[in-house]
Amino acid sequence: MKALVGLVVLAVAGELVGAQLPPARNGFVVIAHRGNHTRAHENTLKALREAADAGADYVELDVRRTADGHYVLMHDGTVDRMTDGRGSVGQMTLAELRALTVRDPGRPAVPPERIPTFEEALGVIKGRVNVYLDFKQGDRHEVARLIREAGVARQVLVYDRPENVAAWRKAAPELPLMVSPPPDLRDGEELVAFARRLGVEALDGSWEFYSREMVSAAERAGIKVWPDIQAREEGPEYFKKVLERGFTGAQTDHPEELIDWLKTEKRR
């Protein structure tokens, strides 16, 4: 029964919609992609702290399982790009991963760090900022257990593939879910039908996929559309063009810039 605390069940057009989204502090939800990695290395504890300090509503982080059953933050399946080592995350032990240095050769001025465990990350975000958990690989029941034990279930939104929604509902019915819609949806009616059929609380994907009509239809149905807006050039004109489609949140590579712009537009 404890696992069901906070679960809200809504009947929408005969479909079952699951859990509550984490409480939002702001009118427009800013999600820091892999943490605030403009000021730190992606998926590190410093990147999470920097995102929270900047005022982000969520930090997006990527979770993978090690060869000996621990969970760490790493976007790629290998450590090649972000560390001084080589190899698959899933084929290395936690001790082997901890021995590596997280660094970016393209940004030598950013101090090196180490790969954090999922538990460490949950300790950093507790009571400070919500988590957009991009589940890459592992056991969903085990990850849900770690979330509950950390006492942060009301701060977590889980992203996974549509075919894995049922597995998450079984492992953690109290956690809200986000998926990407298929590319062949044509309008708001089809978008809402897709989300209701799966029973998810939120949708992501490229912002360019969505029309204003689709976003409005989803909002009326109580489904949040928080797309990916990461781009090489993110600035006022870009933000304005994106938000004209009616989104109420977005995932960005530049959370500080987006937050500052939202404040000038009095949307924060």
Side-chain angles (χ1 to χ4, degrees):
M1 290 299 292
K2 289 182 179 179
L4 298 178
V5 172
L7 177 65
V8 174
V9 178
L10 301 174
V12 182
E15 300 295 338
L16 195 65
V17 179
Q20 292 176 309
L21 286 165
R25 295 176 295 176
N26 298 289
F28 188 91
V29 171
V30 174
I31 303 162
H33 183 224
R34 306 181 197 173
N36 190 356
H37 61 82
T38 61
R39 292 185 174 272
H41 297 300
E42 66 180 55
N43 276 315
T44 60
L45 298 183
K46 181 172 173 54
L48 305 188
R49 293 189 185 100
E50 290 284 352
D53 290 345
D57 300 281
Y58 285 77
V59 290
E60 185 263 357
L61 50 82
D62 305 280
V63 171
R64 294 183 180 276
R65 184 172 57 188
T66 69
D68 51 347
H70 296 277
Y71 287 85
V72 296
L73 306 194
M74 183 65 63
H75 176 270
D76 300 353
T78 73
V79 300
D80 301 9
R81 178 176 64 89
M82 287 305 300
T83 79
D84 56 355
R86 297 187 65 82
S88 168
V89 176
Q91 295 178 2
M92 302 175 74
T93 66
L94 180 60
E96 290 171 328
L97 291 165
R98 292 291 227 178
L100 302 178
T101 298
V102 177
R103 85 291 179 270
D104 181 352
R107 298 192 299 164
V110 179
E113 296 184 58
R114 64 190 178 106
I115 298 172
T117 66
F118 185 44
E119 294 97 317
E120 287 174 331
L122 295 179
V124 166
I125 66 92
K126 187 173 184 178
R128 296 189 67 197
V129 62
N130 294 326
V131 166
Y132 173 136
L133 172 60
D134 190 339
F135 182 81
K136 295 296 188 184
Q137 185 269 335
D139 183 279
R140 292 170 181 82
H141 287 270
E142 182 65 12
V143 168
R145 180 185 66 80
L146 294 174
I147 291 169
R148 294 188 190 108
E149 288 183 352
V152 297
R154 285 297 291 122
Q155 292 178 242
V156 176
L157 166 65
V158 176
Y159 173 84
D160 206 335
R161 293 186 297 275
E163 60 267 28
N164 294 322
V165 166
W168 274 109
R169 290 301 185 210
K170 184 176 180 180
E174 76 273 28
L175 296 181
L177 302 178
M178 170 184 272
V179 299
S180 298
D184 59 347
L185 298 183
R186 295 170 296 181
D187 55 32
E189 183 177 351
E190 290 187 355
L191 183 71
V192 170
F194 165 77
R196 284 179 172 172
R197 185 169 62 251
L198 286 180
V200 296
E201 290 72 33
L203 300 169
D204 90 326
S206 170
W207 71 272
E208 296 177 299
F209 166 78
Y210 293 98
S211 67
R212 187 174 181 87
E213 181 270 334
M214 294 171 81
V215 177
S216 296
E219 286 289 332
R220 289 195 300 272
I223 301 157
K224 296 299 181 183
V225 180
W226 295 341
D228 301 335
I229 68 168
Q230 298 95 290
R232 180 170 297 177
E233 299 295 333
E234 291 186 34
E237 291 304 313
Y238 178 73
F239 295 143
K240 181 179 179 181
K241 180 171 64 173
V242 169
L243 269 63
E244 282 175 350
R245 304 207 180 180
F247 303 116
T248 58
Q251 181 176 189
T252 172
D253 273 337
H254 298 276
E256 288 179 278
E257 287 87 343
L258 178 54
I259 289 167
D260 288 344
W261 180 80
L262 290 167
K263 287 178 179 177
T264 65
E265 295 292 308
K266 296 182 170 50
R267 299 188 57 169
R268 193 71 172 168

